[in-house]
Amino acid sequence: MGCRDRARAERAAREIRAEVGERADGAGELVVRELDLASLRSVRAFCHRVLQEESRLDVLINNAGIFQCPYMKTEDGFEMQFGVNHLGHFLLTNLLLSLLKNSAPSRIVVVSSKLYKYGEINFEDLNSEISYNKSFCYSRSKLANILFARELARRLEGTGVTVNSLHPGIVRTNLGRHVNIPLLAKPLFNLVSWAFFKTPLEGAQTSIYLASSPDVEGVSGKYFGDCKEEELLPKAMDDLVARKLWDISEVMVGLLK
């Protein structure tokens, strides 16, 4: 588990170990490693340790995210949503690609969102220096996730490494902590969320499916929701934009000068 908050991660790991331990002996080892996607330095340190300690990498799930936050910048000066949701995962995946290839058949799973539909890749202002809209910038980062997954799938053809993206649904987590809900509306919002939002376990099902199901063995470059392949809007299938985004991202994270 690569996690930003070490204490919370250790707490979650203890709960997982306790639950799994009740059901099976020798279920494997769960380790926690510090990983802050808002810091390229942290991403590099995490990957260096993984490459030193692990002989195999069968599945990588890119699941970190920040949602509709006020304008903030990462440690490296990137707009926070684009920096964490796209660039952090972009560097993480690229630094671990050699191990994934050596472990083939292996899988990469990229958690996106249906809100990609409201985003556009504006190459003139990727860092939102000219204007910032927190909703638009989240949607742009999720569109970038899908374009990244498609371009990576193209580059990995024939390697035995597959890449797919997904929409998890609306899940009851603290992802929406930056969204301001009026005090009087909170009881109604809480009622609606309990009635219609997915639990974290339900929201994880498509990620688990893409990570482990034999049904998607060899499937790559696709987009899923509720464990089924879904159609994408044309802007999420634009290979020219995907390649240009890849090239610029390589420069932004320091893989190329």
Side-chain angles (χ1 to χ4, degrees):
M1 293 166 56
C3 299
R4 176 173 53 89
D5 188 320
R6 185 65 184 248
R8 288 172 59 204
E10 292 286 5
R11 199 157 56 242
R14 284 195 297 272
E15 292 173 5
I16 293 169
R17 291 187 192 106
E19 184 179 338
V20 173
E22 294 170 359
R23 296 181 306 193
D25 293 326
E29 184 184 6
L30 176 60
V31 296
V32 173
R33 296 286 180 261
E34 194 168 313
L35 172 61
D36 185 353
L37 272 288
S39 163
L40 300 184
R41 174 183 50 81
S42 175
V43 173
R44 289 192 176 92
F46 171 84
C47 292
H48 179 71
R49 188 166 182 182
V50 169
L51 294 173
Q52 279 190 318
E53 295 179 349
E54 305 298 335
S55 59
R56 291 188 59 82
L57 181 55
D58 298 289
V59 180
L60 171 65
I61 301 179
N62 288 326
N63 185 58
I66 188 166
F67 177 71
Q68 294 192 10
C69 59
Y71 187 76
M72 297 186 286
K73 289 188 175 182
T74 68
E75 179 179 288
D76 305 278
F78 303 124
E79 185 275 311
M80 186 64 73
Q81 296 188 88
F82 190 75
V84 170
N85 299 354
H86 170 61
L87 291 174
H89 288 127
F90 180 87
L91 179 61
L92 175 76
T93 305
N94 272 283
L95 293 180
L96 295 176
L97 267 186
S98 59
L99 187 54
L100 282 156
K101 289 178 181 177
N102 291 337
S103 307
S106 53
R107 304 182 185 190
I108 300 169
V109 179
V110 180
V111 179
S112 181
S113 167
K114 276 187 178 176
L115 292 177
Y116 85 85
K117 297 175 181 179
Y118 306 102
E120 301 290 342
I121 304 297
N122 177 9
F123 289 110
E124 303 304 314
D125 192 27
L126 276 181
N127 209 36
S128 302
E129 302 280 0
I130 299 172
S131 64
Y132 179 71
N133 178 291
K134 62 183 183 181
S135 300
F136 169 81
C137 287
Y138 178 77
S139 295
R140 176 165 64 189
S141 73
K142 296 289 103 178
L143 176 58
N145 288 155
I146 297 170
L147 292 168
F148 164 59
R150 283 180 62 85
E151 175 63 11
L152 182 56
R154 185 187 70 81
R155 290 169 180 253
L156 290 174
E157 284 179 8
T159 64
V161 184
T162 61
V163 192
N164 292 291
S165 57
L166 69 105
H167 168 61
I170 304 175
V171 188
R172 288 197 301 271
T173 69
N174 69 342
L175 182 67
R177 62 190 177 275
H178 294 293
V179 178
N180 291 319
I181 299 169
L183 191 62
L184 291 175
K186 279 190 175 180
L188 178 60
F189 175 80
N190 291 336
L191 183 65
V192 169
S193 68
W194 278 105
F196 297 106
F197 290 9
K198 292 182 177 181
T199 66
L201 180 60
E202 291 168 340
Q205 290 309 302
T206 305
S207 294
I208 295 168
Y209 173 77
L210 291 176
S212 60
S213 174
D215 295 347
V216 288
E217 187 174 340
V219 174
S220 194
K222 305 299 182 182
Y223 172 79
F224 289 77
D226 291 325
C227 300
K228 297 183 182 67
E229 186 180 338
E230 293 189 356
E231 292 293 319
L232 286 165
L233 294 180
K235 65 181 174 183
M237 298 188 290
D238 190 323
D239 291 335
L240 289 178
V241 171
R243 290 176 196 181
K244 185 175 180 179
L245 178 64
W246 181 286
D247 292 342
I248 291 174
S249 299
E250 280 188 314
V251 176
M252 292 178 83
V253 302
L255 290 173
L256 283 181
K257 292 186 178 178

